[in-house]
Amino acid sequence: MEKSNRFVELYYYLQDPHLVARFQRFCGVHGTFSKTVSSKEADRTQSHNNGDCHRPITGGNEIENMAGFGGAGEGKTAGVGVRKRVKNRREESENPAQNGASVSATDSRGETVAVCNNGHSLQGATTVSHSAAQHVFSAANEERETGKDSDDPLSSSTVKPLRKNSLTGDVGQEFLIGNRFLYYMFTFATELGNELFYIIFFPFVMWNMDALVSRRLIMVWVWVMYLGQCTKDVIGWSRPASPPVVKVEMFYNSEYSMPSTHAMSGTAIPFSLFFMTYCRWEYPFSLGFILALCWCLLVCVSRIYMGMHSVLDVIVGVLYSVLILLFFLPLLDLIDGFNLSHRYAPLIIVCFHLGLALFSFTLDTWSTSRGDTAQILGTGAGVALASHVNYHLGLLPDPTPEQLPYTMPPLSAGLLGLAVLRLVLGVLVLMAMRALMKALTLPLVCWLFGVPSTDMRKARQHMEVELPYRYIVYGTVGFGVGFLVPLLFSYLHLS
């Protein structure tokens, strides 16, 4: 019983948003939260909910407040607990869920609460140990007393969150940065899990280093991200409440939280790259492992710094990614061989990835993660199709065993210049392809399914629009990465 209580205490401690807020203050991030917001503002934010979730942040003496994390109905209080979903079908159809955004408001007793707009109430265990409750209440009091004070106001600067919310357009609330080095370091680290990084990193490896490693790395990325996004929608936990957490980033604030897909990709990509290349490329084992570990730690810690995930979200993301890799990496040779040489591989690739996308769209109401899932699967299908075509045309052939391991060639201005030229020219081609396909596909899909295209944001909330649109656009981009751009290089003698 004592061990069980300790586990419960640890569980609540790791998902407590005040732990995230304390880490942010330690790193020099301080919020500028108002004590309350007007009822008009609270109502406007609440209109995005399909289930309300209120969390006291002022502390208190009633242990009953620990009974659950939210609940539908006015005047209810909540404590720390398992965050779970409560559906309201009518509101789901009228308002898309804003999964994880939150504002401060005042309840019927004059206490400041965080209103979580994830479309789900956060229900918790009915009993929690007294020590766990005291920990949360003391954290709340500490947050209230020190949340607005920076270490050195004269050296702090006020900035806006990174990019506006992808679903609501919300730009977020200003905050103070006391340590600009950590701010820029974690901003860079969190970009290692975003689209801009993927559209540069994967093509660079394919065009300049090793096509086999690149296409297999993309397969790992597709599976890890797909399973992570689907698990998020099944669990349906909200982002850490703000306040007390400062939202340094807003772009993904409308998605669910558990597990952290940034932590999953930040674990899977560097360690898969290390696993695939250690005996294939010549470099010291310690160097490869340390670089992979640093990459992983930077991405994981950045998600807590950004206020996007609890510590528990990140830990589960890392462990979940390791579990997927243990199962999936031994199958890479078999899957890659099938994609390259099987007669019906193109048809199976397209149908299989499309089927996975259709399944993911049935898991929950519309949110930005739906489009991200279709985008990831489309990219994976496009690269797999390109690999099949390359195999039969002899473009980007895999090296023979006699050519391995690869040795690092002497660095020269010509070598670096050629690599940069390939990357810049290739990425420009990909960006042009993406822009062209977006301009053509979205109006066409809206026309085919009879969806009004006057407001593209609303039109893309329809599954019959968002799924084929993202799948086709990024399937084309993936095909371009693996086949069209290398073919262009061969004609320009840049291979």
Side-chain angles (χ1 to χ4, degrees):
M1 187 64 181
E2 184 179 352
K3 289 184 178 180
S4 176
N5 287 338
R6 288 180 180 177
F7 177 79
V8 171
E9 289 178 24
L10 178 63
Y11 169 76
Y12 290 132
Y13 176 73
L14 292 177
Q15 73 164 345
D16 185 4
H18 293 92
L19 181 61
V20 177
R22 287 199 297 274
F23 176 76
Q24 289 182 311
R25 291 199 305 274
F26 176 78
C27 295
V29 179
H30 303 274
T32 58
F33 305 115
S34 301
K35 291 296 183 184
T36 61
V37 295
S38 64
S39 59
K40 182 177 180 181
E41 182 180 353
D43 291 342
R44 175 169 54 83
T45 307
Q46 187 70 10
S47 67
H48 292 286
N49 292 352
N50 60 356
D52 59 0
C53 157
H54 301 280
R55 166 144 196 188
I57 62 170
T58 60
N61 296 321
E62 295 84 10
I63 195 68
E64 290 81 1
N65 282 349
M66 301 297 296
F69 219 75
E74 187 178 358
K76 291 187 179 181
T77 58
V80 179
V82 179
R83 298 170 286 183
K84 205 162 177 72
R85 305 179 295 173
V86 175
K87 298 267 188 182
N88 184 320
R89 291 299 180 186
R90 179 177 299 176
E91 293 181 6
E92 282 180 354
S93 62
E94 294 174 357
N95 300 302
Q98 185 177 337
N99 312 332
S102 59
V103 298
S104 58
T106 304
D107 67 7
S108 58
R109 296 173 298 176
E111 293 182 345
T112 301
V113 299
V115 183
C116 306
N117 305 329
N118 67 327
H120 302 303
S121 71
L122 309 180
Q123 298 175 342
T126 56
T127 59
V128 180
S129 67
H130 180 74
S131 59
Q134 291 298 325
H135 162 73
V136 176
F137 290 144
S138 63
N141 290 325
E142 177 190 349
E143 176 67 29
R144 191 175 57 216
E145 294 170 1
T146 62
K148 292 184 63 178
D149 298 329
S150 63
D151 296 329
D152 186 1
L154 296 177
S155 64
S156 300
S157 57
T158 303
V159 295
K160 278 280 191 181
L162 302 172
R163 296 182 295 174
K164 63 184 180 181
N165 189 289
S166 59
L167 174 60
T168 65
D170 183 16
V171 296
Q173 191 171 12
E174 290 183 345
F175 53 89
L176 300 175
I177 293 296
N179 190 321
R180 299 196 72 83
F181 171 76
L182 291 180
Y183 174 72
Y184 289 122
M185 182 181 73
F186 287 127
T187 298
F188 169 78
T190 203
E191 287 299 324
L192 295 179
N194 291 339
E195 179 184 355
L196 179 61
F197 168 74
Y198 295 137
I199 207 170
I200 293 174
F201 175 73
F202 290 137
F204 180 83
V205 176
M206 180 166 290
W207 302 334
N208 293 300
M209 300 176 70
D210 196 330
L212 181 145
V213 169
S214 180
R215 69 172 183 260
R216 293 189 176 187
L217 203 58
I218 291 173
M219 280 193 281
V220 171
W221 170 70
V222 168
W223 273 105
V224 166
M225 293 297 292
Y226 176 75
L227 292 173
Q229 292 284 21
C230 289
T231 305
K232 274 186 177 183
D233 297 325
V234 170
I235 297 176
W237 283 14
S238 66
R239 300 283 185 181
S242 174
V245 173
V246 179
K247 297 296 182 179
V248 180
E249 179 184 79
M250 287 294 296
F251 188 75
Y252 297 105
N253 201 44
S254 293
E255 294 184 11
Y256 295 128
S257 181
M258 168 65 81
S260 168
T261 48
H262 270 76
M264 292 182 69
S265 65
T267 302
I269 292 177
F271 283 103
S272 294
L273 183 63
F274 173 63
F275 174 82
M276 295 178 197
T277 61
Y278 174 61
C279 293
R280 188 177 176 86
W281 304 348
E282 283 191 349
Y283 60 83
F285 177 90
S286 58
L287 176 63
F289 181 80
I290 291 173
L291 289 176
L293 182 62
C294 289
W295 181 339
C296 175
L297 290 176
L298 272 175
V299 174
C300 292
V301 176
S302 74
R303 302 313 288 164
I304 303 173
Y305 179 91
M306 293 291 166
M308 288 289 98
H309 289 284
S310 69
V311 177
L312 186 64
D313 295 338
V314 171
I315 292 174
V316 172
V318 171
L319 296 178
Y320 193 17
S321 183
V322 170
L323 182 64
I324 294 171
L325 292 182
L326 290 176
F327 173 79
F328 191 69
L329 287 179
L331 301 177
L332 276 179
D333 285 337
L334 179 64
I335 297 173
D336 191 40
F338 175 85
N339 290 342
L340 293 178
S341 59
H342 196 277
R343 180 179 178 182
Y344 298 109
L347 178 63
I348 294 174
I349 288 169
V350 172
C351 293
F352 180 67
H353 286 79
L354 188 59
L356 291 177
L358 284 169
F359 172 76
S360 71
F361 269 67
T362 64
L363 291 177
D364 201 76
T365 55
W366 185 88
S367 73
T368 51
S369 63
R370 301 282 71 68
D372 292 341
T373 303
Q375 175 177 318
I376 291 165
L377 290 168
T379 303
V383 171
L385 286 175
S387 302
H388 183 84
V389 175
N390 289 342
Y391 177 79
H392 290 281
L393 295 182
L395 189 65
L396 292 180
D398 294 334
T400 61
E402 292 76 19
Q403 296 174 293
L404 298 176
Y406 284 137
T407 57
M408 181 69 178
L411 291 178
S412 64
L415 182 66
L416 292 175
L418 188 59
V420 172
L421 178 61
R422 286 196 202 102
L423 180 64
V424 172
L425 179 60
V427 169
L428 288 176
V429 171
L430 294 180
M431 299 293 280
M433 289 174 57
R434 186 179 69 164
L436 177 62
M437 292 303 298
K438 281 185 173 182
L440 294 176
T441 306
L442 190 54
L444 177 61
V445 173
C446 288
W447 176 76
L448 285 175
F449 291 98
V451 176
S453 59
T454 52
D455 188 337
M456 290 301 183
R457 183 186 291 269
K458 289 184 177 179
R460 287 174 55 185
Q461 294 178 19
H462 295 265
M463 184 192 76
E464 61 270 22
V465 172
E466 181 77 342
L467 174 55
Y469 160 66
R470 290 284 191 115
Y471 190 83
I472 293 171
V473 169
Y474 286 92
T476 304
V477 171
F479 191 75
V481 170
F483 175 71
L484 296 178
V485 173
L487 184 65
L488 175 64
F489 290 163
S490 68
Y491 282 121
L492 298 178
H493 304 288
L494 294 176
S495 298

